[in-house]
Amino acid sequence: MTWEDTIKMIRKDPFYEDLVRNAYFEEDLSLNLQRYKQDLEYSEIKAWLNELGFNQGKILDIGSGNGISAVSFALDGFQVDAVEPDPSDTIGAGAIRWLKNHYGLGNLSVHESFAEDIGFPSGTFDLVFVRQALHHANELQKFVEESYRVLKQGGYMITVRDHVVFDKKDKEWFLESHPLHKFYGGENAYHPKEYEEAFQKAGFSMKKRYKYFDTPVNYFPAKKEQVDPQVKLGKLKDTFRTKYSIISRFPLAFEVYISYLKFRGVSFENNEMKIPGRMYSYILKKD
Ligand SMILES: C[S@@+](CC[C@H](N)C(=O)[O-])C[C@H]1O[C@@H](n2cnc3c(N)ncnc32)[C@H](O)[C@@H]1O
């Protein structure tokens, strides 16, 4: 089954309703776009750009899929080139072209090609942005080197939400746990060292490495209280006080309750190894 067939199939199956919505795979392309643009992930990314002092310029969005990030940047006034090898009207270049026409975006161009063979002149872009596509690279090193080549001196590459694995077993666990890999077989992940060596070899300096728990960009649409054990613990303490007001007056009562929960297997640690194929994001600079 192709990626496009997979998306069309899961749209019809209520079991995947949340996944379809959370991954912006709905049939209504402008609805996906509007939701992504208003969601926390995109506002965090805009905050990163602000911190970098990046308010205008040319963006190359690689592996754009149905265009959520490329079109959002274009709507925000940036000059954007979207590179997407899949011609699909559902989840590929055709979908981005539809959005371009829908919003009348003269500042967005769509190119059907792979990152390893993008063909833009060197030093063209101020920012290369890659959302959930680097881990799909045919050749990781070439993907990163081409991104470096087409950036201007002083430009940035931002890669977000790429799956990381730490050994063969961890990768198998990720592929088995992935909800769609069994249909289309196209999932992949690299060791953080593989990404980081590729960045370094290409010439990038790494400005930020965001591990899974470091930013909502990685874990959105999960909320901070769902992924951050300390926030979870705080909320639990409030509930405990309200629910067991008499018992909670005893010193250590809450600690005993937590020990019990731990005994039952509830984790209160920021342990990314408990998340199959947890995602990382990077900010890189061409110095
Ligand atoms: C998981 S999707 C992400 C799409 C989009 N960036 C998003 O976040 O919704 C990965 C995308 O990368 C594209 N892709 C896969 N290999 C690629 C490559 N070597 N160069 C560029 N894009 C690639 C796929 O066609 C797919 O659209």
Side-chain angles (χ1 to χ4, degrees):
M1 202 185 270
T2 64
W3 179 230
E4 181 184 62
D5 293 339
T6 305
I7 301 307
K8 283 183 171 166
M9 189 259 299
I10 62 168
R11 278 178 184 163
K12 291 189 208 132
D13 186 338
F15 180 76
Y16 294 103
E17 198 181 328
D18 285 350
L19 174 67
V20 167
R21 191 179 51 254
N22 292 336
Y24 311 100
F25 286 153
E26 284 174 289
E27 202 171 343
D28 184 338
L29 296 173
S30 56
L31 176 70
N32 293 326
L33 185 274
Q34 293 297 340
R35 282 191 34 249
Y36 175 75
K37 199 165 180 313
Q38 283 160 19
D39 279 342
L40 177 63
E41 181 196 324
Y42 186 66
S43 50
E44 280 292 303
I45 288 163
K46 291 292 296 288
W48 295 356
L49 295 184
N50 261 335
E51 270 173 41
L52 298 174
F54 184 79
N55 302 312
Q56 55 177 15
K58 277 173 79 75
I59 299 182
L60 175 63
D61 185 292
I62 303 182
S64 310
N66 64 4
I68 48 168
S69 55
V71 177
S72 294
F73 288 134
L75 284 170
D76 281 340
F78 295 100
Q79 182 68 41
V80 182
D81 284 274
V83 166
E84 170 50 54
D86 189 333
S88 163
D89 289 344
T90 307
I91 36 77
I96 313 172
R97 284 197 195 98
W98 187 91
L99 285 167
K100 173 184 160 75
N101 292 335
H102 181 72
Y103 291 108
L105 293 168
N107 55 337
L108 170 68
S109 306
V110 186
H111 312 265
E112 279 177 36
S113 63
F114 286 94
E116 291 85 347
D117 190 22
I118 30 182
F120 290 103
S122 301
T124 304
F125 297 98
D126 301 286
L127 175 75
V128 172
F129 184 79
V130 189
R131 182 182 189 269
Q132 295 187 170
L134 190 59
H135 62 274
H136 290 286
N138 299 323
E139 294 170 70
L140 180 61
Q141 191 62 47
K142 190 93 198 291
F143 191 128
V144 176
E145 274 170 13
E146 277 297 275
S147 304
Y148 184 87
R149 183 184 67 74
V150 299
L151 268 178
K152 294 176 187 167
Q153 211 71 42
Y156 289 94
M157 180 178 188
I158 298 185
T159 68
V160 298
R161 300 169 64 92
D162 278 300
H163 292 294
V164 303
V165 287
F166 290 88
D167 57 34
K168 204 167 158 248
K169 261 192 118 179
D170 192 32
K171 185 166 179 181
E172 280 166 11
W173 180 47
F174 161 59
L175 294 179
E176 279 161 19
S177 318
H178 193 282
L180 304 181
H181 182 69
K182 57 179 172 288
F183 301 124
Y184 84 109
E187 261 317 315
N188 193 28
Y190 290 97
H191 194 293
K193 260 194 190 161
E194 290 179 276
Y195 292 117
E196 290 166 26
E197 278 170 15
F199 298 147
Q200 197 191 13
K201 207 169 152 205
F204 280 114
S205 59
M206 190 165 75
K207 295 299 170 195
K208 285 263 188 187
R209 174 207 295 120
Y210 294 98
K211 292 182 172 191
Y212 182 74
F213 288 107
D214 292 345
T215 170
V217 170
N218 292 334
Y219 55 72
F220 188 82
K223 294 189 171 67
K224 194 169 174 63
E225 55 266 34
Q226 288 171 295
V227 297
D228 189 325
Q230 290 316 308
V231 180
K232 197 158 84 180
L233 211 57
K235 289 210 158 203
L236 204 62
K237 202 168 196 166
D238 293 342
T239 316
F240 184 77
R241 273 200 208 110
T242 324
K243 206 169 161 190
Y244 306 107
S245 63
I246 296 176
I247 301 172
S248 73
R249 283 183 212 143
F250 289 98
L252 296 181
F254 185 64
E255 280 73 7
V256 172
Y257 178 57
I258 291 302
S259 302
Y260 166 72
L261 290 179
K262 284 183 182 165
F263 172 71
R264 296 291 306 267
V266 178
S267 171
F268 293 97
E269 284 164 41
N270 259 354
N271 186 354
E272 64 175 18
M273 296 312 287
K274 295 204 165 169
I275 296 149
R278 71 296 300 161
M279 296 181 281
Y280 280 18
S281 297
Y282 291 95
I283 299 183
L284 311 151
K285 188 168 186 201
K286 179 171 178 172
D287 290 312

